[in-house]
Coordinates of all heavy atoms in Angstrom, one line a residue:
M26 N 150.3 144.7 123.8 CA 151.7 145.0 123.9 C 152.5 143.7 123.5 O 152.1 142.6 123.9 CB 152.0 145.4 125.3 CG 153.5 145.8 125.4 SD 153.7 146.7 127.0 CE 155.2 146.0 127.5
N27 N 153.5 143.9 122.7 CA 154.3 142.7 122.2 C 155.4 142.4 123.3 O 156.3 143.2 123.6 CB 155.0 143.1 120.9 CG 155.7 141.9 120.3 OD1 155.8 140.9 120.9 ND2 156.2 142.1 119.1
T28 N 155.3 141.2 123.9 CA 156.2 140.8 124.9 C 157.2 139.8 124.4 O 157.9 139.1 125.2 CB 155.5 140.3 126.2 OG1 154.7 139.2 125.7 CG2 154.6 141.3 126.8
T29 N 157.3 139.6 123.1 CA 158.2 138.6 122.5 C 159.6 139.0 122.7 O 160.0 140.2 122.4 CB 157.9 138.5 121.0 OG1 156.5 138.2 120.8 CG2 158.7 137.5 120.3
V30 N 160.4 138.1 123.2 CA 161.8 138.4 123.4 C 162.5 138.0 122.1 O 162.4 136.9 121.6 CB 162.3 137.5 124.6 CG1 163.8 137.7 124.8 CG2 161.6 137.8 125.9
I31 N 163.3 139.0 121.7 CA 164.1 138.8 120.5 C 165.6 138.7 120.9 O 166.1 139.5 121.7 CB 163.9 139.9 119.5 CG1 162.4 140.0 119.2 CG2 164.8 139.8 118.3 CD1 162.0 140.3 117.8
A32 N 166.3 137.7 120.3 CA 167.7 137.4 120.7 C 168.5 137.3 119.4 O 168.0 137.0 118.3 CB 167.8 136.2 121.5
A33 N 169.8 137.4 119.5 CA 170.7 137.3 118.4 C 170.6 135.9 117.8 O 170.5 134.9 118.5 CB 172.1 137.5 118.9
G34 N 170.6 135.9 116.5 CA 170.5 134.6 115.7 C 169.1 134.3 115.3 O 168.9 133.5 114.4
M35 N 168.1 134.9 115.8 CA 166.7 134.7 115.4 C 166.4 135.2 114.0 O 167.0 136.3 113.7 CB 165.7 135.3 116.3 CG 165.6 134.7 117.7 SD 164.3 135.5 118.6 CE 164.2 134.4 120.0
V36 N 165.6 134.6 113.2 CA 165.2 135.1 112.0 C 163.8 135.7 112.2 O 162.9 135.2 112.8 CB 165.0 133.9 110.9 CG1 164.5 134.5 109.6 CG2 166.4 133.3 110.7
V37 N 163.7 137.0 111.7 CA 162.5 137.8 112.0 C 162.0 138.3 110.6 O 162.8 138.4 109.7 CB 162.8 138.9 112.9 CG1 163.1 138.4 114.3 CG2 163.9 139.8 112.4
K38 N 160.7 138.7 110.6 CA 160.1 139.3 109.5 C 159.8 140.7 109.8 O 159.2 141.0 110.9 CB 158.9 138.5 109.1 CG 158.2 139.1 107.9 CD 157.0 138.2 107.5 CE 156.2 138.7 106.3 NZ 155.0 137.9 106.1
S39 N 160.2 141.7 109.0 CA 159.9 143.1 109.2 C 158.4 143.3 108.9 O 157.9 142.9 107.9 CB 160.8 143.9 108.3 OG 160.4 145.3 108.5
M40 N 157.8 144.0 109.9 CA 156.3 144.2 109.7 C 156.0 145.7 109.5 O 154.8 146.0 109.3 CB 155.6 143.7 111.0 CG 155.8 142.2 111.3 SD 155.3 141.2 109.9 CE 153.6 141.4 109.9
A41 N 157.0 146.6 109.6 CA 156.7 148.0 109.4 C 157.9 148.6 108.7 O 159.1 148.2 108.8 CB 156.5 148.7 110.8
G42 N 157.7 149.7 108.0 CA 158.7 150.4 107.3 C 158.8 150.0 105.8 O 158.0 149.1 105.3
H43 N 159.7 150.6 105.1 CA 159.9 150.3 103.6 C 160.3 148.9 103.4 O 160.2 148.3 102.3 CB 160.8 151.3 103.0 CG 162.2 151.1 103.4 ND1 162.8 151.5 104.6 CD2 163.3 150.5 102.7 CE1 164.0 151.1 104.6 NE2 164.4 150.5 103.5
D44 N 160.9 148.2 104.4 CA 161.4 146.8 104.3 C 160.4 145.8 104.8 O 160.7 144.6 104.9 CB 162.7 146.7 105.0 CG 162.6 147.0 106.5 OD1 161.5 147.5 106.9 OD2 163.6 146.8 107.2
S45 N 159.1 146.2 104.9 CA 158.1 145.2 105.5 C 157.9 144.1 104.6 O 158.0 144.2 103.3 CB 156.8 145.9 105.7 OG 156.2 146.4 104.5
G46 N 157.8 142.9 105.2 CA 157.6 141.7 104.4 C 158.9 140.9 104.2 O 158.9 139.8 103.7
S47 N 160.1 141.5 104.4 CA 161.4 140.9 104.2 C 161.9 140.2 105.5 O 161.5 140.6 106.6 CB 162.4 141.9 103.8 OG 162.0 142.5 102.6
Y48 N 162.7 139.2 105.3 CA 163.2 138.4 106.4 C 164.7 138.9 106.7 O 165.4 139.2 105.7 CB 163.2 136.9 106.1 CG 161.8 136.3 106.1 CD1 161.1 136.3 104.9 CD2 161.3 135.9 107.3 CE1 159.8 135.8 105.0 CE2 160.0 135.3 107.3 CZ 159.3 135.3 106.1 OH 158.0 134.8 106.2
Y49 N 165.0 138.9 107.9 CA 166.3 139.4 108.4 C 166.8 138.4 109.5 O 165.9 137.8 110.2 CB 166.2 140.8 108.9 CG 165.9 141.8 107.9 CD1 164.6 142.2 107.6 CD2 167.0 142.4 107.2 CE1 164.4 143.1 106.6 CE2 166.7 143.4 106.2 CZ 165.4 143.7 105.9 OH 165.1 144.6 105.0
A50 N 168.1 138.5 109.8 CA 168.6 137.8 111.0 C 169.0 138.9 112.0 O 169.5 139.9 111.6 CB 169.8 137.0 110.6
V51 N 168.7 138.6 113.2 CA 169.0 139.5 114.3 C 170.5 139.3 114.6 O 171.0 138.2 115.0 CB 168.2 139.3 115.6 CG1 168.6 140.2 116.7 CG2 166.7 139.5 115.3
M52 N 171.3 140.3 114.4 CA 172.8 140.2 114.7 C 173.1 140.5 116.1 O 174.0 139.8 116.7 CB 173.5 141.3 113.8 CG 173.2 141.1 112.3 SD 173.4 139.5 111.7 CE 175.1 139.1 111.8
R53 N 172.4 141.4 116.8 CA 172.5 141.6 118.2 C 171.3 142.4 118.7 O 170.6 143.0 117.9 CB 173.9 142.4 118.5 CG 173.9 143.8 118.0 CD 175.2 144.5 118.3 NE 175.2 145.9 118.1 CZ 175.4 146.5 117.0 NH1 175.8 145.8 115.9 NH2 175.4 147.8 116.8
V54 N 171.2 142.5 120.0 CA 170.2 143.3 120.7 C 170.9 144.2 121.6 O 171.7 143.7 122.4 CB 169.1 142.4 121.4 CG1 168.1 143.2 122.1 CG2 168.5 141.4 120.4
D55 N 170.6 145.5 121.6 CA 171.3 146.4 122.4 C 170.4 147.6 122.7 O 169.8 148.2 121.8 CB 172.6 146.9 121.7 CG 173.5 147.7 122.5 OD1 173.5 147.5 123.8 OD2 174.4 148.4 122.0
N56 N 170.3 147.9 124.0 CA 169.5 149.1 124.5 C 168.0 149.0 124.0 O 167.5 150.1 123.6 CB 170.1 150.4 124.1 CG 171.4 150.7 124.8 OD1 171.6 150.3 125.9 ND2 172.4 151.3 124.1
G57 N 167.5 147.9 123.9 CA 166.1 147.7 123.5 C 165.8 147.7 122.0 O 164.7 147.7 121.6
Y58 N 166.8 147.7 121.3 CA 166.7 147.7 119.8 C 167.3 146.4 119.2 O 168.3 145.9 119.8 CB 167.3 148.9 119.1 CG 166.6 150.2 119.3 CD1 166.9 151.0 120.4 CD2 165.5 150.5 118.6 CE1 166.2 152.2 120.6 CE2 164.8 151.7 118.8 CZ 165.1 152.5 119.8 OH 164.4 153.7 120.0
A59 N 166.8 145.9 118.1 CA 167.4 144.8 117.5 C 168.1 145.3 116.3 O 167.7 146.2 115.6 CB 166.3 143.8 117.0
Y60 N 169.3 144.8 116.0 CA 170.1 145.1 114.9 C 170.0 144.0 113.9 O 170.5 142.9 114.2 CB 171.6 145.4 115.3 CG 171.6 146.7 116.1 CD1 171.3 146.7 117.5 CD2 172.0 147.9 115.5 CE1 171.4 147.9 118.2 CE2 172.0 149.1 116.2 CZ 171.7 149.1 117.5 OH 171.8 150.3 118.3
I61 N 169.4 144.3 112.7 CA 169.1 143.2 111.8 C 169.9 143.4 110.5 O 170.3 144.5 110.1 CB 167.6 143.2 111.5 CG1 167.1 144.5 110.9 CG2 166.8 142.8 112.7 CD1 165.7 144.5 110.4
A62 N 170.2 142.3 109.8 CA 170.9 142.3 108.5 C 170.3 141.2 107.7 O 169.8 140.2 108.1 CB 172.4 142.1 108.8
D63 N 170.5 141.4 106.3 CA 170.1 140.4 105.4 C 171.2 139.9 104.5 O 171.1 139.0 103.6 CB 168.9 140.8 104.6 CG 169.2 142.0 103.7 OD1 170.3 142.6 103.7 OD2 168.3 142.4 102.9
G64 N 172.4 140.6 104.6 CA 173.5 140.2 103.8 C 173.5 140.8 102.4 O 174.5 140.7 101.7
K65 N 172.5 141.5 102.0 CA 172.4 142.2 100.7 C 172.3 143.7 100.8 O 173.2 144.4 100.6 CB 171.2 141.6 99.9 CG 171.1 142.1 98.5 CD 170.0 141.4 97.7 CE 170.0 141.9 96.3 NZ 169.0 141.2 95.5
L66 N 171.1 144.1 101.2 CA 170.9 145.6 101.4 C 171.5 146.0 102.8 O 172.1 147.1 102.9 CB 169.4 145.9 101.4 CG 168.7 145.7 100.1 CD1 167.3 146.0 100.1 CD2 169.4 146.5 98.9
R67 N 171.3 145.2 103.8 CA 171.9 145.5 105.1 C 173.0 144.4 105.4 O 172.7 143.3 105.6 CB 170.8 145.4 106.2 CG 170.0 146.6 106.2 CD 170.8 147.8 106.6 NE 170.0 149.1 106.5 CZ 170.5 150.2 106.9 NH1 171.7 150.3 107.4 NH2 169.7 151.3 106.7
K68 N 174.2 144.9 105.3 CA 175.3 144.0 105.5 C 175.5 143.6 107.0 O 175.1 144.3 107.9 CB 176.6 144.6 105.0 CG 176.5 145.1 103.5 CD 176.6 143.9 102.6 CE 176.6 144.4 101.2 NZ 176.6 143.4 100.2
V69 N 176.2 142.5 107.2 CA 176.5 142.0 108.5 C 177.3 143.1 109.3 O 177.2 143.3 110.5 CB 177.3 140.7 108.5 CG1 177.8 140.3 109.8 CG2 176.4 139.6 107.8
E70 N 178.2 143.8 108.6 CA 179.1 144.8 109.2 C 178.3 146.1 109.6 O 178.8 146.8 110.5 CB 180.2 145.3 108.2 CG 181.0 144.2 107.7 CD 180.4 143.4 106.6 OE1 179.7 144.0 105.8 OE2 180.7 142.2 106.4
S71 N 177.2 146.4 109.0 CA 176.4 147.6 109.3 C 174.9 147.2 109.4 O 174.2 147.6 108.5 CB 176.7 148.7 108.3 OG 176.3 148.3 107.0
P72 N 174.5 146.5 110.4 CA 173.1 146.1 110.5 C 172.1 147.3 110.8 O 172.6 148.4 111.3 CB 173.0 145.1 111.7 CG 174.2 145.5 112.5 CD 175.3 146.0 111.6
K73 N 170.9 147.1 110.5 CA 169.9 148.2 110.7 C 169.3 148.1 112.1 O 169.0 147.1 112.6 CB 168.7 148.0 109.6 CG 167.7 149.0 109.8 CD 166.6 148.8 108.8 CE 165.5 149.9 109.0 NZ 164.7 150.1 107.8
K74 N 169.2 149.3 112.7 CA 168.6 149.4 114.0 C 167.1 149.4 113.9 O 166.6 150.2 113.1 CB 169.1 150.7 114.7 CG 168.6 150.9 116.0 CD 169.1 152.3 116.6 CE 168.5 152.7 117.9 NZ 169.1 154.0 118.3
K75 N 166.4 148.5 114.6 CA 165.0 148.4 114.4 C 164.3 148.1 115.7 O 164.8 147.4 116.6 CB 164.7 147.2 113.4 CG 163.3 147.0 113.0 CD 163.2 147.6 111.6 CE 161.8 147.2 111.0 NZ 161.4 148.0 109.9
N76 N 163.1 148.7 115.9 CA 162.3 148.5 117.1 C 161.8 147.1 117.1 O 161.1 146.7 116.1 CB 161.2 149.5 117.1 CG 160.4 149.5 118.3 OD1 160.3 148.5 119.0 ND2 159.8 150.7 118.7
P77 N 162.0 146.3 118.1 CA 161.5 144.9 118.1 C 160.0 144.8 118.0 O 159.5 143.8 117.6 CB 161.9 144.4 119.5 CG 163.0 145.3 119.9 CD 162.8 146.6 119.3
L78 N 159.2 145.9 118.3 CA 157.8 145.8 118.1 C 157.4 145.8 116.6 O 156.3 145.4 116.3 CB 157.1 147.1 118.7 CG 157.3 147.2 120.3 CD1 156.7 148.5 120.8 CD2 156.6 146.0 121.0
H79 N 158.3 146.1 115.8 CA 158.1 146.1 114.3 C 158.6 144.8 113.7 O 158.6 144.7 112.4 CB 158.7 147.3 113.6 CG 158.2 148.6 114.2 ND1 158.9 149.8 114.0 CD2 157.0 148.9 114.8 CE1 158.2 150.8 114.6 NE2 157.0 150.3 115.0
L80 N 159.0 143.8 114.5 CA 159.5 142.6 114.0 C 158.6 141.4 114.4 O 158.1 141.4 115.5 CB 160.9 142.3 114.5 CG 161.9 143.4 114.1 CD1 163.2 143.1 114.8 CD2 162.1 143.4 112.6
Q81 N 158.4 140.5 113.5 CA 157.7 139.2 113.8 C 158.7 138.1 113.9 O 159.4 137.8 113.0 CB 156.6 139.0 112.8 CG 155.8 137.7 113.0 CD 154.8 137.5 111.9 OE1 154.9 138.1 110.9 NE2 153.8 136.7 112.2
K82 N 158.6 137.4 115.0 CA 159.6 136.3 115.2 C 159.1 135.1 114.4 O 158.0 134.8 114.2 CB 159.5 136.0 116.7 CG 160.7 135.2 117.2 CD 160.7 135.1 118.7 CE 159.9 134.0 119.2 NZ 160.0 133.7 120.6
T83 N 160.1 134.3 113.9 CA 159.9 133.1 113.2 C 160.5 132.0 114.0 O 161.1 132.2 115.0 CB 160.5 133.0 111.8 OG1 161.9 133.1 111.9 CG2 160.0 134.2 110.9
S84 N 160.3 130.7 113.6 CA 160.8 129.6 114.4 C 162.2 129.3 114.0 O 162.8 128.4 114.5 CB 159.9 128.4 114.2 OG 159.8 128.0 112.8
K85 N 162.7 130.0 113.0 CA 164.1 129.7 112.5 C 165.1 130.4 113.3 O 164.9 131.5 113.8 CB 164.2 130.2 111.0 CG 163.1 129.7 110.1 CD 163.4 128.3 109.7 CE 162.5 127.9 108.6 NZ 161.8 126.6 108.7
V86 N 166.3 129.8 113.4 CA 167.5 130.4 114.1 C 168.7 130.1 113.3 O 168.9 129.1 112.7 CB 167.6 129.8 115.5 CG1 168.8 130.3 116.2 CG2 166.4 130.0 116.4
I87 N 169.6 131.1 113.2 CA 170.8 131.1 112.4 C 172.0 131.4 113.4 O 171.8 132.3 114.3 CB 170.8 132.1 111.3 CG1 169.7 131.8 110.3 CG2 172.2 132.1 110.6 CD1 169.6 132.9 109.2
D88 N 173.0 130.6 113.3 CA 174.2 130.9 114.1 C 174.9 132.1 113.5 O 175.5 132.0 112.4 CB 175.1 129.7 114.2 CG 176.4 129.9 115.0 OD1 176.4 130.9 115.8 OD2 177.3 129.1 114.9
V89 N 174.9 133.2 114.1 CA 175.5 134.5 113.5 C 176.9 134.7 113.9 O 177.5 135.7 113.5 CB 174.6 135.7 113.9 CG1 173.3 135.6 113.2 CG2 174.5 135.9 115.3
T90 N 177.5 133.8 114.7 CA 178.9 134.0 115.0 C 179.7 133.6 113.7 O 179.6 132.6 113.1 CB 179.4 133.1 116.1 OG1 179.1 131.7 115.9 CG2 178.7 133.5 117.4
D91 N 180.6 134.5 113.3 CA 181.5 134.3 112.1 C 180.7 134.1 110.8 O 181.1 133.3 110.0 CB 182.4 133.1 112.3 CG 183.3 133.3 113.5 OD1 183.7 134.5 113.8 OD2 183.7 132.4 114.2
I92 N 179.5 134.7 110.7 CA 178.7 134.5 109.5 C 179.2 135.6 108.5 O 179.5 136.7 108.8 CB 177.2 134.6 109.8 CG1 176.4 134.1 108.6 CG2 176.8 136.0 110.1 CD1 175.0 133.8 108.9
T93 N 179.1 135.2 107.2 CA 179.4 136.1 106.1 C 178.2 136.6 105.5 O 177.1 136.0 105.6 CB 180.4 135.4 105.1 OG1 179.6 134.4 104.5 CG2 181.6 134.9 105.7
N94 N 178.3 137.7 104.7 CA 177.1 138.2 104.0 C 176.6 137.1 103.0 O 175.3 137.0 102.9 CB 177.4 139.5 103.2 CG 177.6 140.6 104.2 OD1 176.8 140.8 105.1 ND2 178.7 141.3 104.0
K95 N 177.4 136.4 102.3 CA 177.0 135.4 101.4 C 176.2 134.3 102.1 O 175.2 133.8 101.6 CB 178.2 134.8 100.6 CG 177.8 133.8 99.5 CD 179.0 133.4 98.7 CE 178.5 132.5 97.6 NZ 179.6 132.0 96.7
K96 N 176.7 133.8 103.2 CA 176.1 132.7 103.9 C 174.7 133.2 104.5 O 173.7 132.4 104.4 CB 176.9 132.2 105.1 CG 178.1 131.4 104.7 CD 178.9 131.0 105.9 CE 180.2 130.3 105.5 NZ 181.0 129.9 106.7
L97 N 174.6 134.4 104.9 CA 173.4 135.0 105.4 C 172.4 135.1 104.3 O 171.2 134.7 104.4 CB 173.6 136.3 106.0 CG 172.4 137.0 106.7 CD1 171.8 136.1 107.8 CD2 172.8 138.3 107.4
R98 N 172.8 135.6 103.1 CA 171.9 135.7 101.9 C 171.3 134.3 101.6 O 170.1 134.2 101.3 CB 172.6 136.3 100.7 CG 172.8 137.8 100.7 CD 173.2 138.3 99.4 NE 174.4 137.6 98.8 CZ 175.6 138.0 99.0 NH1 175.9 139.0 99.8 NH2 176.6 137.3 98.5
T99 N 172.2 133.3 101.6 CA 171.8 132.0 101.2 C 170.8 131.4 102.2 O 169.8 130.8 101.8 CB 173.0 131.1 101.1 OG1 174.0 131.6 100.2 CG2 172.6 129.7 100.7
A100 N 171.0 131.6 103.5 CA 170.1 131.1 104.5 C 168.7 131.8 104.4 O 167.7 131.2 104.6 CB 170.7 131.3 105.9
L101 N 168.7 133.1 104.1 CA 167.4 133.8 104.1 C 166.7 133.7 102.7 O 165.5 134.0 102.6 CB 167.7 135.3 104.4 CG 168.2 135.6 105.8 CD1 168.5 137.1 106.0 CD2 167.2 135.1 106.9
A102 N 167.4 133.3 101.7 CA 166.9 133.2 100.3 C 165.7 132.3 100.3 O 164.7 132.6 99.6 CB 167.9 132.8 99.3
V103 N 165.8 131.2 101.0 CA 164.7 130.2 101.0 C 163.4 130.8 101.6 O 162.3 130.7 101.1 CB 165.1 128.9 101.8 CG1 163.9 128.0 101.9 CG2 166.3 128.3 101.2
L104 N 163.5 131.5 102.7 CA 162.4 132.2 103.3 C 161.8 133.3 102.4 O 160.6 133.4 102.3 CB 162.8 132.8 104.7 CG 163.1 131.8 105.8 CD1 163.7 132.5 107.0 CD2 161.9 131.0 106.2
N105 N 162.6 134.0 101.8 CA 162.1 135.1 100.9 C 161.4 134.5 99.7 O 160.4 135.1 99.3 CB 163.3 136.0 100.5 CG 163.7 137.0 101.7 OD1 162.8 137.5 102.4 ND2 164.9 137.2 101.8
R106 N 161.9 133.4 99.2 CA 161.2 132.8 98.0 C 159.9 132.2 98.5 O 158.9 132.4 97.7 CB 162.1 131.7 97.4 CG 163.0 132.2 96.3 CD 163.7 131.1 95.7 NE 165.0 131.1 96.4 CZ 165.7 130.0 96.7 NH1 165.3 128.8 96.3 NH2 166.8 130.1 97.4
E107 N 159.8 131.6 99.6 CA 158.5 131.1 100.1 C 157.5 132.2 100.3 O 156.3 132.1 100.0 CB 158.7 130.4 101.5 CG 159.4 129.1 101.3 CD 159.7 128.4 102.7 OE1 159.3 129.0 103.7 OE2 160.3 127.4 102.7
A108 N 158.0 133.4 100.8 CA 157.1 134.5 101.0 C 156.5 135.0 99.7 O 155.4 135.4 99.5 CB 157.8 135.6 101.8
E109 N 157.4 135.1 98.6 CA 157.0 135.5 97.3 C 156.0 134.5 96.7 O 155.0 135.0 96.1 CB 158.2 135.6 96.4 CG 159.1 136.8 96.7 CD 160.3 136.8 95.9 OE1 160.4 136.0 94.9 OE2 161.3 137.6 96.2
N110 N 156.2 133.2 96.9 CA 155.2 132.3 96.4 C 153.9 132.4 97.0 O 152.8 132.3 96.4 CB 155.8 130.8 96.5 CG 156.9 130.5 95.6 OD1 157.1 131.2 94.6 ND2 157.7 129.6 96.0
I111 N 153.8 132.6 98.3 CA 152.6 132.8 99.1 C 151.9 134.0 98.6 O 150.6 134.0 98.4 CB 152.8 132.8 100.6 CG1 153.3 131.4 101.1 CG2 151.6 133.3 101.3 CD1 153.8 131.4 102.5
A112 N 152.6 135.1 98.4 CA 152.0 136.3 97.8 C 151.4 136.1 96.4 O 150.3 136.6 96.2 CB 153.0 137.4 97.8
E113 N 152.1 135.4 95.6 CA 151.6 135.1 94.3 C 150.3 134.3 94.3 O 149.4 134.5 93.6 CB 152.7 134.4 93.4 CG 153.8 135.3 93.0 CD 154.9 134.6 92.3 OE1 154.7 133.4 91.9 OE2 156.0 135.2 92.1
E114 N 150.3 133.3 95.2 CA 149.1 132.4 95.3 C 147.9 133.2 95.8 O 146.8 133.0 95.3 CB 149.4 131.2 96.2 CG 150.4 130.2 95.6 CD 150.8 129.1 96.6 OE1 150.2 129.1 97.7 OE2 151.7 128.3 96.3
S115 N 148.1 134.1 96.7 CA 147.0 134.9 97.2 C 146.5 135.8 96.2 O 145.3 136.1 96.2 CB 147.4 135.7 98.5 OG 148.4 136.7 98.1
D116 N 147.3 136.3 95.2 CA 146.9 137.1 94.1 C 145.9 136.3 93.2 O 144.9 136.8 92.7 CB 148.0 137.6 93.3 CG 148.8 138.7 94.0 OD1 148.3 139.2 95.0 OD2 149.9 139.0 93.6
W117 N 146.2 135.0 93.0 CA 145.3 134.2 92.2 C 144.0 133.9 92.8 O 143.0 133.7 92.1 CB 146.0 132.8 91.9 CG 147.1 132.9 91.0 CD1 148.4 132.9 91.3 CD2 147.0 132.9 89.6 NE1 149.2 133.0 90.1 CE2 148.3 133.0 89.0 CE3 145.9 132.8 88.7 CZ2 148.5 133.0 87.7 CZ3 146.2 132.9 87.3 CH2 147.5 133.0 86.8
L118 N 143.9 134.0 94.1 CA 142.6 133.8 94.8 C 141.6 134.9 94.7 O 140.4 134.8 94.9 CB 142.9 133.5 96.3 CG 143.7 132.2 96.6 CD1 144.0 132.1 98.1 CD2 142.9 131.0 96.1
V119 N 142.1 136.1 94.4 CA 141.3 137.3 94.3 C 140.5 137.4 93.0 O 140.9 137.0 92.0 CB 142.1 138.6 94.5 CG1 141.3 139.8 94.4 CG2 142.8 138.5 95.8

């Protein structure tokens, strides 16, 4: 059982669903669900409702008060590029 506490501002990686492998910022937590956004597909104004069991916590934290979609995209772009590079490197090992 996953007992990881997820709070607003945390950067998480989606582990299930069509968006698995992507990084998101938790905008808020309500009624046991995390509402996540990436500023591109999921805007700050309409975050996606996600079960916290399907999210992997990272050590990164973003201040989500007064954040814009552009600032959120910029902050998450570095993590998404790193994930793509790791995936490409693992392809070379096979």
Side-chain angles (χ1 to χ4, degrees):
M26 187 166 140
N27 187 355
T28 59
T29 303
V30 176
I31 301 221
M35 288 184 171
V36 175
V37 294
K38 182 178 180 183
S39 176
M40 300 305 290
H43 72 281
D44 58 353
S45 64
S47 298
Y48 289 91
Y49 294 90
V51 177
M52 304 311 294
R53 70 179 191 273
V54 178
D55 193 20
N56 292 327
Y58 288 96
Y60 290 82
I61 59 174
D63 64 356
K65 186 174 182 180
L66 298 175
R67 284 295 175 172
K68 304 287 183 182
V69 172
E70 302 83 29
S71 59
K73 179 179 180 159
K74 179 180 174 182
K75 191 99 170 162
N76 186 334
L78 295 176
H79 299 158
L80 299 173
Q81 181 181 17
K82 200 169 84 167
T83 66
S84 60
K85 309 279 189 229
V86 177
I87 297 175
D88 182 15
V89 293
T90 56
D91 300 327
I92 195 163
T93 64
N94 288 313
K95 184 175 182 177
K96 288 180 184 177
L97 184 56
R98 280 193 309 271
T99 303
L101 295 176
V103 175
L104 291 171
N105 284 320
R106 270 185 266 144
E107 287 175 3
E109 289 174 11
N110 289 340
I111 291 170
E113 288 175 8
E114 288 175 8
S115 67
D116 289 342
W117 285 99
L118 298 175
V119 177

